[in-house]
Structures are given as structure tokens and as C-alpha cells.
Amino acid sequence: QLPSLEKLRLAELLLADLEMPNPEIDAIWREEAQKRWQAYKAGELKTLSYESVMQKYKYHRSHAQAWECSKDAPASSVATLERCTIRSHA
């Protein structure tokens, strides 16, 4: 179990790594998107209505958590964590 500040540092490193482009992964996703488009056009892919997707999104969003920070919290995300708490949207 990592302390909160260490968790935040780890999350920042992971997110920074994810933001770096990877041509190999981009090519895999491009191929997957093409396969899905072809399956859709051939009627082989089940689709969902806009309404059902939005209803699911609204449910998950209403049960999400958010950071609530004091107004004097510094701009640095690591330092800010010390003056923040997690609150539920629900």
C-alpha cells in the first residue's frame, strides 16, 4: 500500500508514458478500426443506440468521484494532493 503522494507520482508517470505516441499501437488500432467498420457495413456488428450509451454514461458519471481541493492549494499536483479530498458525485 503506497502513501497517497507516491500513488500520485506513480499515476503521473504512467499517464505521461501513455501520452507518448507509439506507431506500433497506432497501427494495431487502425487495423482494428478498419475491421470493425467492415463488420458494421456487412451487418455483422451489433450496434447500440445513442440513448443507451448516454444513459450508461450518465449512470457512471453520477457515481464517479472527484477531487475537492482548498482554494489555497498550490498548482503542483503532488503538493495539491495534501490539501484535497475525494468526494462522491452521488
Side-chain angles (χ1 to χ4, degrees):
Q1 187 82 327
L2 290 174
S4 296
L5 289 175
E6 291 301 314
K7 287 180 189 177
L8 181 59
R9 286 187 183 112
L10 178 59
E12 286 177 334
L13 289 172
L14 291 171
L15 289 172
D17 186 55
L18 288 173
E19 291 173 358
M20 295 178 62
N22 183 324
E24 184 179 341
I25 292 174
D26 291 344
I28 291 168
W29 274 114
R30 188 170 31 260
E31 183 180 327
E32 180 65 23
Q34 290 172 348
K35 286 179 185 177
R36 291 181 187 191
W37 177 245
Q38 292 301 320
Y40 169 76
K41 288 192 332 184
E44 301 167 352
L45 187 66
K46 181 183 174 190
T47 60
L48 300 172
S49 70
Y50 172 82
E51 290 78 16
S52 67
V53 171
M54 292 310 295
Q55 186 173 1
K56 183 177 180 180
Y57 169 76
K58 288 176 186 176
Y59 171 81
H60 287 291
R61 182 143 170 87
S62 69
H63 290 81
Q65 293 179 336
W67 287 101
E68 190 171 83
C69 302
S70 65
K71 291 182 180 178
D72 63 332
S76 165
S77 56
V78 173
T80 300
L81 183 63
E82 295 172 340
R83 298 186 191 152
C84 300
T85 57
I86 296 177
R87 64 175 172 77
S88 176
H89 281 295

